[in-house]
Amino acid sequence: MAGGARGLAGLAWVSLIAASWATSLAAAPPAPPPQARPLAASADPARVERVLASLSLDERIDQMLLAYPQLDREAPVKVGGVLFVGKSLDDVPAAKARIAASTARARVPPLYAVDMEGGRINRLRHLPSVAEVPSALAMSRLPDAEVEQWGFTVGQAMREVGLNVNLAPVLDVAGTGHLFDGERTFGGDPAVVAAKGRAYCEGLRRAGVASVGKHYPGYGDLAADSDHVRVAAPWPRERVQREAGVFARVGAAPMQGVMLSNVIYDAIGPQPAVLSPDIVAMGHARGWLTVTDDLAIGTLATALGGKTEDVVRAAFLAGNDLLLTTAPPDWEQGIDYHAVIARAVAEDPARKARVDDAARRVLGLKDRLGLLDGR
């Protein structure tokens, strides 16, 4: 998220759940650290299709959901990915046990995602090896080799816990503005941002962790925080393409996905990027998995003139592969993302192909991570 503080669906339950893990999961042995191996260069299409064919429509829809760990610790884990935010990683042994227990209850092993940008956005600061990861702005002054080593170190720490997807790096070109002020950007030089971003992603890839760059197609030097207010970029189309070009320079080999921004690009259309079919298609054309930012953000519903359910529906219809929510999927006060997508497909059966495409991309990333072949 542009503001860097996930959890708008409510932080009280986050603290409560995180605090309870240590006792409720004390008997669950943590999984041993996996042997480090680089992310596979490509998925096995035949294996992906076999897994896809084995899934029902409901199970394919589930693969599109990236959500906070569910509240029911005994029920099957159905979501495609589990998101760790807030203080959910403060107790590392409890988090490792949680991941091991969740994997054991999932038919298809989930993705386990976290923001590990560096600086103040460091969810694993309780691990000594990554307690002092530099911010992106600080890394912009380091040689590429050192930035890559930091990416590798972060990737190793993530794998030690059981995490396999980093919602980073930030690839917005900003020498001023909101992201620069938070030191989350590699700076205002597109060449530097591309080089450091590629190096960080390459380090993650060598450690066997997938990276999702953000905030596509680029937040730039905008001053406002789109987590809290409507933000529009009055840029010509050429400027949007230039900002997106930095992501393209990083490429699909070291970076496997992009997280779309909540910014409205006037030259593209009236909707935020995360709800824009044109911008989602731009990401797919580059070979990336597309991931939404938190769909519970109030400004998204305001932009549509509707409710969060309308945002989820629009994000699905825009073509996104992973729909992100900072709420547990079984939280009674939350939105039933699965039901929203299922209703949209029931209204037009042709949309089943949209589900299949998204599930196929998600499974493809899982196969590259070794999750479909027993690794």
Side-chain angles (χ1 to χ4, degrees), residues 171-190:
L171 295 175
D172 307 287
V173 179
T176 59
H178 172 60
L179 292 177
F180 178 83
D181 291 343
E183 298 191 2
R184 298 176 63 197
T185 170
F186 291 112
D189 184 334

Side-chain angles (χ1 to χ4, degrees), residues 250-311:
V250 173
M255 183 175 72
Q256 294 70 49
V258 289
M259 176 183 285
L260 276 67
S261 82
N262 291 331
V263 173
I264 298 168
Y265 300 90
D266 292 339
I268 305 297
Q271 295 182 330
V274 71
L275 307 179
S276 167
D278 290 339
I279 294 179
V280 174
M282 286 168 53
H284 285 158
R286 293 288 182 179
W288 290 312
L289 186 81
T290 57
V291 184
T292 73
D293 210 326
D294 187 2
L295 295 181
I297 296 297
T299 53
L300 291 175
T302 300
L304 282 182
K307 301 178 180 180
T308 302
E309 291 91 335
D310 303 310
V311 174

Side-chain angles (χ1 to χ4, degrees), residues 223-244:
D225 181 353
S226 62
D227 285 358
H228 304 294
V229 297
R230 179 185 184 276
V231 178
W235 304 336
R237 183 176 289 267
E238 292 74 20
R239 168 78 185 273
V240 178
Q241 292 173 337
R242 186 166 66 250
E243 299 284 334

Side-chain angles (χ1 to χ4, degrees), residues 1-9 11 83 85-86 114-117 120-121 123 167-170 172 178-179 184 212-216 219 224-229 259-263 291-300 324-327:
M1 297 172 72
R6 298 185 185 277
L8 295 183
L11 291 177
L83 175 67
V85 295
V114 67
D115 301 274
M116 275 297 294
E117 299 173 15
R120 69 183 182 88
I121 311 297
R123 311 295 187 194
L167 302 177
V170 170
D172 307 287
H178 172 60
L179 292 177
R184 298 176 63 197
V212 175
K214 57 193 180 188
H215 306 80
Y216 191 75
Y219 202 93
D225 181 353
S226 62
D227 285 358
H228 304 294
V229 297
M259 176 183 285
L260 276 67
S261 82
N262 291 331
V263 173
V291 184
T292 73
D293 210 326
D294 187 2
L295 295 181
I297 296 297
T299 53
L300 291 175
L324 185 154
T325 172
T326 52

Side-chain angles (χ1 to χ4, degrees), residues 13-35:
W13 51 261
V14 174
S15 298
L16 178 62
I17 297 167
S20 69
W21 284 1
T23 54
S24 63
L25 293 171
Q35 181 180 2

Side-chain angles (χ1 to χ4, degrees), residues 90-104:
D90 283 1
D91 187 331
V92 173
K96 292 172 70 172
R98 180 75 172 195
I99 289 173
S102 296
T103 302

Side-chain angles (χ1 to χ4, degrees), residues 47 104 115 118 140 154 159 167 176 196 222 250 292 347 352:
R47 183 161 48 228
D115 301 274
S140 72
V154 167
R159 289 296 298 268
L167 302 177
T176 59
K196 306 308 176 185
L222 298 169
V250 173
T292 73
E347 293 167 4
K352 180 180 178 296

Side-chain angles (χ1 to χ4, degrees), residues 20-367:
S20 69
W21 284 1
T23 54
S24 63
L25 293 171
Q35 181 180 2
R37 66 168 71 192
L39 193 71
S42 61
D44 180 335
R47 183 161 48 228
V48 169
E49 291 302 321
R50 283 197 301 271
V51 175
L52 182 66
S54 74
L55 302 180
S56 66
L57 175 60
D58 280 341
E59 290 171 325
R60 296 178 191 194
I61 291 173
D62 286 335
Q63 288 300 302
M64 299 180 64
L65 305 182
L66 175 60
Y68 193 84
Q70 65 195 47
L71 301 176
D72 188 337
R73 301 176 184 86
E74 304 298 328
V77 174
K78 299 179 180 180
V79 295
V82 179
L83 175 67
F84 286 81
V85 295
K87 297 181 178 180
S88 58
L89 291 169
D90 283 1
D91 187 331
V92 173
K96 292 172 70 172
R98 180 75 172 195
I99 289 173
S102 296
T103 302
R105 303 199 315 275
R107 180 180 175 190
V108 180
L111 302 170
Y112 292 103
V114 67
D115 301 274
M116 275 297 294
E117 299 173 15
R120 69 183 182 88
I121 311 297
N122 182 351
R123 311 295 187 194
L124 291 173
R125 59 175 55 88
H126 296 287
L127 281 178
S129 63
V130 289
E132 302 294 337
V133 181
S135 68
L137 191 60
M139 280 193 272
S140 72
R141 307 182 188 102
L142 300 177
D144 291 356
E146 289 188 32
V147 176
E148 181 176 334
Q149 183 58 43
W150 271 117
F152 183 71
T153 299
V154 167
Q156 284 185 310
M158 289 178 60
R159 289 296 298 268
E160 178 184 342
V161 179
L163 303 160
N164 50 30
V165 176
N166 193 358
L167 302 177
V170 170
L171 295 175
D172 307 287
V173 179
T176 59
H178 172 60
L179 292 177
F180 178 83
D181 291 343
E183 298 191 2
R184 298 176 63 197
T185 170
F186 291 112
D189 184 334
V192 171
V193 175
K196 306 308 176 185
R198 187 186 310 112
Y200 193 71
C201 290
E202 179 59 23
L204 291 166
R205 187 200 65 78
R206 287 199 296 115
V209 169
S211 54
V212 175
K214 57 193 180 188
H215 306 80
Y216 191 75
Y219 202 93
D221 52 9
L222 298 169
D225 181 353
S226 62
D227 285 358
H228 304 294
V229 297
R230 179 185 184 276
V231 178
W235 304 336
R237 183 176 289 267
E238 292 74 20
R239 168 78 185 273
V240 178
Q241 292 173 337
R242 186 166 66 250
E243 299 284 334
V246 173
F247 291 77
R249 289 165 71 175
V250 173
M255 183 175 72
Q256 294 70 49
V258 289
M259 176 183 285
L260 276 67
S261 82
N262 291 331
V263 173
I264 298 168
Y265 300 90
D266 292 339
I268 305 297
Q271 295 182 330
V274 71
L275 307 179
S276 167
D278 290 339
I279 294 179
V280 174
M282 286 168 53
H284 285 158
R286 293 288 182 179
W288 290 312
L289 186 81
T290 57
V291 184
T292 73
D293 210 326
D294 187 2
L295 295 181
I297 296 297
T299 53
L300 291 175
T302 300
L304 282 182
K307 301 178 180 180
T308 302
E309 291 91 335
D310 303 310
V311 174
V312 174
R313 176 187 172 89
F316 164 65
L317 295 179
N320 288 287
D321 300 315
L322 277 174
L323 308 186
L324 185 154
T325 172
T326 52
D330 56 348
W331 188 35
E332 62 181 11
Q333 299 180 50
I335 302 301
D336 188 344
Y337 282 39
H338 179 107
V340 172
I341 299 172
R343 284 196 297 269
V345 174
E347 293 167 4
D348 183 356
R351 292 170 180 163
K352 180 180 178 296
R354 166 84 283 278
V355 174
D356 289 348
D357 287 344
R360 184 177 288 110
R361 290 190 185 95
V362 173
L363 292 173
L365 179 57
K366 290 185 177 185
D367 194 54

